[in-house]
Amino acid sequence: MGRQPCCDKVGLKKGPWTAEEDKKLISFILTNGQCCWRAVPKLAGLLRCGKSCRLRWTNYLRPDLKRGLLSEYEEKMVIDLHAQLGNRWSKIASHLPGRTDNEIKNHWNTHIKKKLKKMGIDPVTHRILFTNEIEQPQTKPEQQPQQNQKESSPIEEQDTKVEYENDKNKEPQNPETSFDSSTITEEHDQIMTPLFDSLELMNEFLIEEVPIVKPDEILAPCVCSSSSTTTITTTASSSSSNSSNFLEDLLLSDFDWSQDNNNIENSDNNNNNININMALWDDDFIRNWDFVINDDDIGDRKQVFDAPQNQYPRVVMDSESWAYGLF
DNA sequence: AAGAGTAACAACCGCCAGCAA
DNA sequence: ATTGCTGGCGGTTGTTACTCT
């Protein structure tokens, strides 16, 4: 028996979401929390499939999303994580609170790929791209791109997924050069070293017209363990204090976690609920949501979300805590 | 001003894993 | 053990905005 489609597609709307649809979905989830997505469209009065609702919510409407362009720091994180994880966008996104896998994937495909290529780095393998590799026969074996591998990961041979999930109990093989005590192995370092060095160069080459950087211009002595030029340098022994620096920088620096806010009692008035909970978030964002929730005059949906990118909230919050805990 | 080309990103599609019956 | 459902993931497509000629 074939599998049923996730929903009856007959009569369902596709394409861009309207402000009205957004409003219905937001109102429904704020009222009921995230439940069975299959049932959401019907209950919320939407002519969409549940999957579409889930994607719309997780990728666009969730209140804990940062929105806006990735910062330079986040971009570097994405590059580094991609070097370790390959195209496991959800895993990468899990390291960047407030960012979705879709967002990171798009940013990778539209921005980072080009930057890396301009720098002479293969965005797939994260290794140096030679303008004509045939002319570089003296390339050291360990620097040669791993040919004939799946594109998805430069280190596909290692089961990084398993490694990621299990190695919290393992000692890193090379603590001195670990980027993150829970993730890095020696082989990772072999891959990451040129990347780290080139990342520094990248800071200076993030301009439109960038010559292809020759390998000898990029490869610098390996200083990954102690160099101050390495943007992200951590040691395994100090993972508890250092390895999470990027997280500390990325999230919650301007967010005061308040248990009290999580214990706000339900109100019969949804709008009250919304306003109470919005107190956790950025003013601009609150205004946007107020527009969505309260404004009867649904105009161009762009009005809802097209605030200047830098004005999007940097507040990050676990979605479930507000979706379930507050409602 | 208009059309073509390009970039950016939202949304969709198909597949898969996990889970419950 | 099997089957069906759901949610999640990654790849791809479609649409819109922007730039160039």
Side-chain angles (χ1 to χ4, degrees):
Chain A
M1 181 186 292
R3 184 188 158 188
Q4 284 187 345
C6 68
C7 50
D8 180 8
K9 294 184 178 181
V10 178
L12 292 185
K13 190 172 181 292
K14 289 171 64 175
W17 281 62
T18 65
E20 180 68 31
E21 290 174 310
D22 285 345
K23 181 181 177 181
K24 284 182 180 177
L25 182 57
I26 292 169
S27 296
F28 177 82
I29 294 180
L30 289 176
T31 304
N32 302 287
Q34 296 179 56
C35 62
C36 172
W37 285 109
R38 186 176 184 136
V40 165
K42 188 176 181 180
L43 296 173
L46 291 164
L47 289 175
R48 297 274 181 173
C49 77
K51 198 171 186 175
S52 181
C53 292
R54 181 177 60 82
L55 285 173
R56 181 64 179 172
W57 176 255
T58 56
N59 288 334
Y60 203 80
L61 299 177
R62 254 169 51 200
D64 57 333
L65 296 180
K66 280 184 180 175
R67 314 295 309 164
L69 288 175
L70 270 71
S71 68
E72 186 179 330
Y73 196 51
E74 287 174 305
E75 205 167 83
K76 288 179 179 179
M77 282 300 307
V78 170
I79 294 170
D80 294 339
L81 289 166
H82 186 272
Q84 301 172 58
L85 298 167
N87 292 357
R88 296 187 177 111
W89 303 115
S90 62
K91 293 280 185 188
I92 295 172
S94 69
H95 289 75
L96 295 165
R99 301 297 186 182
T100 69
D101 55 351
N102 204 40
E103 187 179 15
I104 292 172
K105 179 172 58 183
N106 284 332
H107 191 78
W108 178 270
N109 288 329
T110 57
H111 292 95
I112 300 177
K113 254 186 178 178
K114 294 173 187 174
K115 285 181 180 177
L116 290 179
K117 284 179 179 176
K118 280 186 175 182
M119 293 175 56
I121 298 174
D122 186 344
V124 176
T125 64
H126 290 258
R127 293 173 186 276
I128 303 303
L129 272 176
F130 297 108
T131 53
N132 186 348
E133 293 194 324
I134 297 176
E135 295 176 1
Q136 307 289 336
Q138 64 273 38
T139 303
K140 294 177 182 177
E142 66 271 19
Q143 289 184 329
Q144 291 196 359
Q146 297 175 2
Q147 300 290 345
N148 301 325
Q149 286 192 18
K150 281 179 64 179
E151 275 200 359
S152 60
S153 172
I155 49 177
E156 194 67 29
E157 289 175 343
Q158 296 188 12
D159 191 343
T160 54
K161 181 179 181 180
V162 173
E163 187 173 294
Y164 253 67
E165 292 170 352
N166 294 337
D167 60 8
K168 285 184 179 179
N169 300 323
K170 292 194 297 185
E171 282 291 314
Q173 296 180 19
N174 189 354
E176 290 301 314
T177 56
S178 288
F179 153 71
D180 183 317
S181 64
S182 65
T183 59
I184 301 299
T185 65
E186 272 186 24
E187 184 166 345
H188 288 155
D189 274 339
Q190 290 174 10
I191 296 170
M192 295 298 291
T193 298
L195 171 64
F196 274 42
D197 292 332
S198 59
L199 277 173
E200 279 312 300
L201 292 171
M202 190 201 253
N203 287 336
E204 303 187 21
F205 287 126
L206 293 182
I207 56 177
E208 276 309 304
E209 294 302 324
V210 181
I212 297 298
V213 182
K214 295 179 180 179
D216 58 346
E217 293 172 318
I218 291 177
L219 288 170
C222 176
V223 288
C224 47
S225 66
S226 58
S227 170
S228 62
T229 64
T230 301
T231 303
I232 302 164
T233 56
T234 63
T235 61
S237 59
S238 60
S239 62
S240 62
S241 60
N242 287 343
S243 64
S244 62
N245 281 353
F246 74 93
L247 284 176
E248 294 169 3
D249 290 338
L250 283 175
L251 77 157
L252 304 179
S253 58
D254 55 352
F255 181 71
D256 181 22
W257 282 90
S258 169
Q259 280 302 118
D260 293 337
N261 284 328
N262 286 337
N263 293 330
I264 295 170
E265 291 183 353
N266 287 340
S267 165
D268 291 334
N269 186 324
N270 287 338
N271 288 341
N272 287 345
N273 264 347
I274 293 162
N275 289 334
I276 289 168
N277 295 304
M278 287 303 164
L280 296 169
W281 302 323
D282 181 89
D283 287 345
D284 289 338
F285 197 64
I286 294 169
R287 280 195 293 275
N288 289 337
W289 272 53
D290 284 345
F291 175 86
V292 172
I293 301 301
N294 298 326
D295 195 345
D296 291 329
D297 181 22
I298 304 298
D300 184 352
R301 67 191 181 97
K302 285 196 154 302
Q303 294 175 11
V304 179
F305 295 106
D306 275 2
Q309 291 174 333
N310 290 339
Q311 294 181 13
Y312 286 113
R314 295 189 61 79
V315 172
V316 178
M317 181 177 180
D318 176 61
S319 60
E320 292 194 358
S321 64
W322 76 269
Y324 291 107
L326 300 174
F327 297 95

